């Protein structure tokens, strides 16, 4: 047993150096050389300022911005330092309350009547989902256009620019990047 | 199920099955002593490690020595992982200045990662320093997986050797699995993941000014967002490949920086089942009859496919309560629809449920959606897949040796039916093998049920349940199913980072790992010492559809009989309540 423990310790030390030291450092070197933008979080830069990440959503509540998924992170929504889902079961009262509050807020901000795409009234798994469905974007076109005094078609054109289709034509779901869309709206009107 | 979803599942299974044969053959070569493909690069490193660690490559072990070696290595690993966590506050590579992990949480995590469970009682980005993630957790992602594979190889040698007292050398199996299989595959996968946007950096988190300020729970204005990053890709690659599942971030592979695109999702999903599926072929090659491996793989797929379909249908049909409020849950070209609570838009329904079923079929336990928020019957499936004992693909190594235990039981049952001594792969199965197989199958089942009962009937167990009613019960049952079968996924609402759960779940994980592993090694030793018997007219062929059906039936019956009453108290009642609430 003593002999076995000695070998166990030596093997563990050797493999710690190899798989815990050399391996992650090697991957970091490859990543930083080949894909520096992705490896550092896909940051969106506007001049000197970092405006956000392509992959991390931000909270929006003004009528002139597109809104994303609900976020259950604490203590504030879209806290990217502590990702979290709501973990509401399908019958949890909190699920209904959150959805009702969102629906009320959407209506108060001037969204049209009618069925609301489900991704706008549910919290994402990470609390950081950067995307909404094209249906959820379309649902908000009228409100944003009125609020910004733009034509709906101009807004739709920007949506098109922020929309990603299925990857390689088949994988995943079509989706709209909310932060990039809102940045594009601000850029257009700043001109 | 939508057409687009069906197509993606089809592509996934197609690519997976196409990899089974080449990778399976390669692994068979690795464990039988030759590895032509990477010998030139890895060989010198392998020989260097043998010399440094004082391992005699040609020394063979009896099953008791092999078991002692496994236990010694697991013990050393446990102490190391515990120590790294408790001292991280004083060590470098800790840009967020995180303090030492609490003793009970560190115990739980140390057990969790050395048993290949990778249950996360903690939130990665708020608990573990970069150094701990690398030197404690990434290392265990490799070696606990390689240890599981080693035990499988020992069992296979039990079938292939005759009148032998030895079943191989644990150190050689451990090192070769790590060097020839896990490291090369991880080195390919990790950069691919980075190309999709998985972060890999040692920088501290990024401060970003929000485009529109928001308010926190206390009504204070929040103008910035801190984006946690870190050396994630290197850990994610092996977390998926080694059926580990412990994420870099709290929400695991639903985090956009851990699983950013549908392609990264596809690769991570493929990595979940890749090795467990290919090992079936490895098994077939090593026992000298490939059909034996394909029969086991077929049995796994027969259980997998209908369960995948049912979860997907449940989730796609959505939550009737949200429909009442006016939510549009119908799938269309412009939205995935369905029950989107706890799911990400880039994955929609099909990729979330495929992941949920794959991760619980294999003992991976990573998630890309929150299982706690699934519809009652949609969430029942992942729970039940774990309760089947993690044998439908299962963990790397541990899944297949678990399935072989069921195969032994199936052969025994059919032997009883026709009144002949049962034999499997040329070995007569005696009372000893049957006792060991039954112990290994039944005791973890009991551990799950007893653990759940203890938690439900004690105040400290009930205190941290998040959801009310039957769903709260499901949270606890899910936690013990996950720990007792070394899966590691969670109905994450349960506040499991308490001394009570850290301790009890830690114990379940130890039982789930070693109470199965040791009987398996005992069977391996016993089989290896037996003579090989030639196939006779009374031998039940174990590569036929008939045997596949028999094997599936045994797995299902044991799983259903053990857990149906408990499931009835949780998800099934909840489903009825949901229907009644309309």
């Amino acid at each position: 047993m003593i002999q076995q423990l000695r070998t166990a310790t030596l093997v563990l030390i050797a493999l710690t150096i190899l798989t815990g030291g050399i391996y992650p450092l090697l991957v970091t070197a490859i990543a930083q050389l080949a894909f520096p933008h992705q490896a550092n979080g896909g940051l969106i830069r506007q001049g000197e300022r970092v405006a956000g990440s392509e992959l991390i959503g931000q909270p929006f509540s003004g009528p002139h911005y597109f809104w994303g998924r609900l976020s259950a992170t604490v203590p504030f929504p879209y806290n990217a330092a502590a990702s979290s889902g709501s973990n509401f079961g399908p019958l949890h009262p909190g699920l209904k309350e959150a959805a009702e509050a969102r629906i009320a807020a959407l209506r108060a901000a001037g969204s049209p009547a009618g069925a609301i795409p489900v991704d706008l009234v549910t919290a994402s798994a990470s609390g950081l989902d950067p995307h909404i469905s094209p249906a959820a974007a379309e649902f908000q076109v009228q409100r944003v256009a009125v609020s910004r005094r733009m034509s709906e078609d101009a807004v739709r054109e920007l949506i098109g620019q922020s929309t990603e289709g299925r990857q390689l034509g088949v994988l995943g779901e079509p989706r709209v990047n909310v932060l990039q869309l809102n940045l594009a709206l601000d850029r257009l009107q700043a001109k | 199920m939508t057409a687009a979803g069906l197509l993606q599942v089809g592509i996934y299974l197609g690519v997976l099955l196409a990899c089974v044969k080449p990778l399976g053959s390669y692994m068979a070569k690795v464990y039988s002593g030759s590895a032509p493909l990477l010998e030139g690069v890895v060989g010198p490193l392998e020989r260097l490690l043998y010399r440094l660690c004082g391992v005699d490559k040609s020394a063979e072990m009896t099953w008791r020595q092999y078991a002692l070696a496994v236990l010694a290595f697991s013990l050393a690993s446990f102490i190391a992982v515990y120590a790294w966590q408790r001292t991280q506050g004083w060590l470098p590579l800790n840009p967020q200045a995180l303090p030492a992990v609490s003793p009970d949480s560190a115990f739980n995590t140390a057990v969790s990662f050395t048993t290949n469970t990778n249950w996360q009682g903690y939130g990665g980005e708020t608990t573990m320093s970069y150094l701990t993630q690398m030197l404690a957790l990434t290392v265990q992602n490799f070696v606990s997986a390689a240890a599981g594979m080693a035990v499988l190889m020992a069992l296979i040698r039990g079938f292939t050797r005759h009148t032998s007292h030895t079943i191989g050398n644990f150190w050689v199996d451990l090192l070769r699995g790590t060097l020839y299989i896990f490291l090369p595959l991880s080195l390919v996968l990790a950069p691919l993941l980075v190309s999709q946007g998985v972060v890999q950096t040692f920088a501290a988190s990024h401060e970003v000014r929000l485009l529109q300020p928001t308010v926190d729970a206390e009504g204070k204005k929040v103008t910035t967002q801190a984006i946690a990053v870190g050396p994630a890709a290197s850990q994610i690659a092996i977390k998926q490949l080694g059926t580990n599942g412990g994420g870099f971030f709290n929400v695991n592979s639903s985090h956009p920086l851990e699983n950013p695109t549908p392609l990264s999702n596809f690769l991570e999903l493929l990595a979940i089942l890749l090795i467990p599926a290919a090992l079936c072929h490895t098994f077939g090659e090593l026992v000298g009859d490939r059909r034996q491996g394909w029969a086991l793989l077929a049995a796994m797929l027969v259980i997998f496919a209908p369960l995948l379909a049912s979860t997907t249908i449940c989730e796609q049909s959505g939550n009737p309560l949200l429909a009442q409020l006016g939510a549009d849950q119908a799938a269309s070209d412009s939205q995935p629809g369905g029950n989107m609570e706890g799911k990400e838009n880039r994955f929609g329904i099909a990729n979330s449920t495929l992941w949920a079923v794959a991760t619980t079929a294999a003992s991976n336990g990573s998630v890309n959606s929150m299982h706690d928020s699934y519809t009652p019957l949609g969430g029942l499936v992942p729970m039940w897949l774990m309760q089947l004992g993690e044998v439908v693909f299962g963990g790397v190594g541990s899944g297949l040796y678990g399935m072989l235990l069921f195969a032994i039981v199936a052969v025994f049952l059919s032997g009883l039916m026709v009144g002949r001594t049962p034999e499997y792969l040329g070995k007569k199965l005696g009372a000893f093998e049957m006792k060991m197989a039954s112990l290994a199958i039944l005791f973890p089942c009991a551990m799950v049920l007893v653990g759940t009962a203890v938690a439900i009937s004690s105040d400290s167990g009930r205190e941290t349940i998040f959801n009310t009613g039957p769903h709260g019960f499901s949270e606890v049952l899910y936690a013990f199913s996950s720990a007792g079968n070394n899966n590691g996924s969670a109905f994450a609402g349960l506040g499991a980072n308490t001394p009570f759960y850290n301790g009890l779940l830690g114990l379940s994980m130890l039982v789930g790992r070693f109470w199965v592993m040791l009987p398996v090694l005992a069977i391996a030793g016993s089989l290896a010492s037996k003579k090989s018997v030639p196939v006779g007219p009374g031998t039940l062929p174990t590569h036929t559809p008939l045997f596949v059906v028999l094997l599936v039936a045994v797995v299902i019956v044991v799983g259903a009989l053990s857990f149906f009453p408990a499931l009835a108290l949780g998800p099934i009642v909840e489903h009825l309540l949901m229907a009644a609430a309309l």
Side-chain angles (χ1 to χ4, degrees):
Chain A
M1 189 69 196
I2 300 293
Q3 175 62 33
Q4 300 273 40
L5 275 175
R6 191 175 154 269
T7 312
T9 310
L10 289 173
V11 170
L12 183 62
I13 291 171
L15 288 179
T16 299
I17 294 168
L18 187 66
T19 62
I22 296 171
Y23 160 71
L25 291 177
L26 187 62
V27 173
T28 308
I30 297 170
Q32 293 291 339
L33 285 174
F35 311 106
H37 175 69
Q38 292 96 318
N40 293 307
L43 299 179
I44 305 169
R45 291 183 191 279
Q46 290 193 325
E48 287 294 290
R49 202 170 77 86
V50 177
S53 160
E54 294 159 0
L55 294 169
I56 300 291
Q58 291 188 7
F60 292 101
S61 53
H64 57 302
Y65 282 125
F66 280 86
W67 301 359
R69 305 288 305 272
L70 292 177
S71 164
T73 60
V74 285
F76 60 92
Y78 289 91
N79 177 7
S83 55
S84 172
S86 74
N87 287 314
F88 287 144
L91 296 177
H92 195 291
L95 178 73
K96 199 174 163 208
E97 282 160 24
E100 279 171 342
R102 191 30 129 40
I103 292 169
L106 280 166
R107 302 276 189 238
S111 299
I116 301 172
V118 66
D119 54 326
L120 279 181
V121 302
T122 48
S124 64
S126 61
L128 306 172
D129 194 342
H131 299 115
I132 52 176
S133 65
E138 177 59 35
F139 179 78
Q140 303 182 66
V141 163
Q142 189 197 342
R143 184 194 77 220
V144 173
V146 168
S147 163
R148 287 184 179 257
R149 299 197 190 120
M150 290 168 69
S151 75
E152 292 189 11
D153 284 342
V155 175
R156 281 200 187 91
E157 198 186 314
L158 289 183
I159 292 178
Q161 289 165 13
S162 300
T163 302
E164 293 168 74
R166 295 184 200 276
Q167 206 170 3
L168 310 175
V170 286
L171 296 178
E173 301 288 336
R175 58 211 181 276
V176 180
N177 190 305
V178 178
L179 177 61
Q180 286 184 327
L181 174 57
N182 286 334
L183 285 170
L185 281 167
D186 280 0
R187 265 200 309 272
L188 188 75
Q189 295 212 313
K191 273 180 196 164
Chain B
M1 216 189 265
T2 59
L6 213 54
L7 178 65
Q8 295 186 56
V9 172
I11 294 173
Y12 174 72
L13 289 177
V15 172
L16 177 69
L17 291 176
C19 294
V20 164
K21 202 174 160 196
L23 182 62
S25 297
Y26 172 75
M27 290 194 289
K29 289 199 189 87
V30 169
Y31 285 106
S32 54
S34 61
L37 198 61
L38 294 169
E39 180 75 52
V41 193
V42 182
L45 180 62
E46 184 193 0
R47 287 188 287 277
L48 175 72
L49 287 179
Y50 290 147
R51 217 173 44 241
L52 287 178
C53 304
V55 172
D56 177 4
K57 190 179 159 208
S58 57
E60 286 277 329
M61 294 176 175
T62 64
W63 81 263
R64 283 195 176 81
Q65 289 168 329
Y66 204 100
L68 268 183
V70 176
L71 290 176
F73 187 71
S74 300
L75 180 66
S77 298
F78 169 82
I79 294 170
V81 176
Y82 185 83
W84 286 120
Q85 294 177 80
R86 297 286 294 146
T87 54
Q88 69 174 12
W90 303 313
L91 298 172
L93 281 181
N94 185 4
Q96 313 294 345
L98 296 166
V101 182
S102 70
D104 58 298
S105 175
F107 161 79
N108 183 283
T109 304
V111 171
S112 163
F113 277 73
T114 50
T115 56
N116 195 241
T117 310
N118 311 68
W119 166 269
Q120 273 177 278
Y122 59 89
E125 65 269 48
T126 52
T127 316
M128 300 293 177
S129 74
Y130 294 169
L131 191 80
T132 310
Q133 296 263 22
M134 287 161 60
L135 293 185
L137 305 187
T138 304
V139 172
Q140 286 307 315
N141 275 318
F142 278 95
V143 298
S144 69
M149 301 253 279
V151 171
L152 170 67
M153 293 308 143
L155 178 62
I156 293 177
R157 289 187 196 112
F159 285 110
T160 55
R161 294 182 179 182
H162 52 89
T163 52
S164 161
H165 293 295
T166 59
I167 51 172
N169 181 318
F170 174 69
W171 307 117
V172 174
D173 289 339
L174 178 77
L175 284 167
R176 284 181 72 88
T178 307
L179 296 179
Y180 283 96
I181 298 170
F182 289 117
L183 261 180
L185 284 174
S186 301
L187 278 171
V188 172
L189 182 58
L192 283 174
L193 293 178
V194 177
S195 79
Q196 294 301 301
V198 179
V199 287
Q200 180 73 25
T201 169
F202 289 102
S205 56
H206 301 293
E207 281 286 324
V208 169
R209 220 179 56 241
L210 291 172
L211 193 55
Q212 186 185 14
T214 185
V215 287
D216 70 10
E218 289 161 2
K220 276 206 305 253
K221 194 171 171 191
V222 177
T223 56
T224 60
Q225 181 188 44
I227 300 178
V229 292
S234 53
Q235 189 176 326
I236 306 318
I238 184 61
K239 153 201 148 196
Q240 298 302 108
L241 285 164
T243 57
N244 293 289
F248 192 87
F249 298 103
N250 183 40
V251 291
N252 211 289
S253 276
S254 63
H255 197 293
L257 296 179
E258 185 156 333
N259 188 6
T261 66
L263 183 58
S264 71
N265 189 67
F266 182 85
L267 294 170
E268 290 182 18
L269 248 174
L270 185 65
I272 292 179
L273 293 186
L274 181 66
I275 293 178
L279 276 174
C280 293
H281 187 73
T282 308
F283 168 76
E285 285 214 346
L286 288 175
V287 300
D289 182 359
R290 291 178 179 179
R291 295 170 306 177
Q292 303 290 346
W294 288 106
L296 296 180
L297 186 59
M300 293 174 181
L301 283 170
V302 165
I303 301 175
F304 183 84
L307 291 179
L308 171 63
S310 44
T311 285
T312 309
I313 290 166
C314 289
E315 292 308 297
Q316 191 68 64
S317 65
N319 184 341
L321 295 180
L322 289 179
Q324 266 182 343
L325 297 180
D328 177 9
Q329 300 183 88
S332 72
D333 285 342
S334 58
Q335 72 158 0
N339 174 24
M340 282 299 285
E341 181 72 19
K343 296 191 181 65
E344 299 277 299
N345 261 79
R346 59 196 179 284
F347 308 137
I349 300 295
N351 281 300
S352 298
T353 55
L354 178 57
W355 188 298
V357 172
T359 194
T360 49
S363 82
N364 190 289
S366 61
V367 295
N368 77 349
S369 60
M370 293 298 131
H371 297 183
D372 212 349
S373 297
Y374 271 40
T375 59
L377 297 184
L380 180 147
V381 167
M383 192 164 3
W384 196 52
L385 270 166
M386 295 189 293
Q387 291 164 345
L388 291 180
E390 290 300 0
V391 296
V392 182
F393 298 103
V396 289
S398 60
L400 191 56
Y401 66 62
M403 193 55 146
L404 287 169
L405 292 176
F406 276 102
I408 288 174
V409 173
V411 169
F412 176 75
L413 285 179
S414 48
L416 284 183
M417 289 178 210
V418 295
R420 288 189 60 99
T421 313
E423 51 190 82
Y424 185 47
L425 304 172
K427 290 292 172 82
K428 278 199 166 23
L429 301 174
F432 181 74
E433 286 81 17
M434 283 316 301
K435 277 183 206 155
M436 290 295 137
S438 313
L439 271 181
I441 288 172
L442 294 180
F443 200 81
C445 290
M447 187 69 215
V448 171
L449 292 172
V450 172
T452 306
V454 169
I456 286 296
S457 42
S458 69
D459 288 336
S460 30
R462 285 194 304 264
E463 243 161 36
T464 54
I465 294 176
F466 175 67
N467 280 279
T468 50
H471 197 85
F473 176 77
S474 297
E475 285 182 355
V476 177
L477 180 62
Y478 195 99
F480 282 93
S481 303
S482 177
N485 292 292
N486 293 160
N487 182 284
S489 77
F491 265 20
L494 181 70
N497 197 359
T498 62
F500 176 83
Y501 278 112
N502 278 330
L504 200 55
L505 291 171
L507 185 68
S508 305
M509 291 188 260
L510 287 173
V511 168
R513 177 76 161 180
F514 297 108
W515 196 281
V516 181
M517 210 177 235
L518 295 180
V520 163
L521 286 172
I523 292 174
S526 160
L527 290 177
S529 67
K530 292 187 183 195
K531 282 205 280 277
S532 218
V533 291
V535 176
T539 306
L540 171 76
T542 49
H543 60 265
T544 58
L546 176 68
F547 182 72
V548 171
V549 171
L550 201 62
L551 179 57
V552 169
V554 171
V555 173
I556 300 268
V557 166
V558 171
L561 288 182
S562 311
F563 292 103
F564 184 77
L567 290 170
L569 290 175
I572 295 177
V573 167
E574 192 190 8
H575 177 74
L576 298 175
L577 284 176
M578 191 166 89
L582 288 181

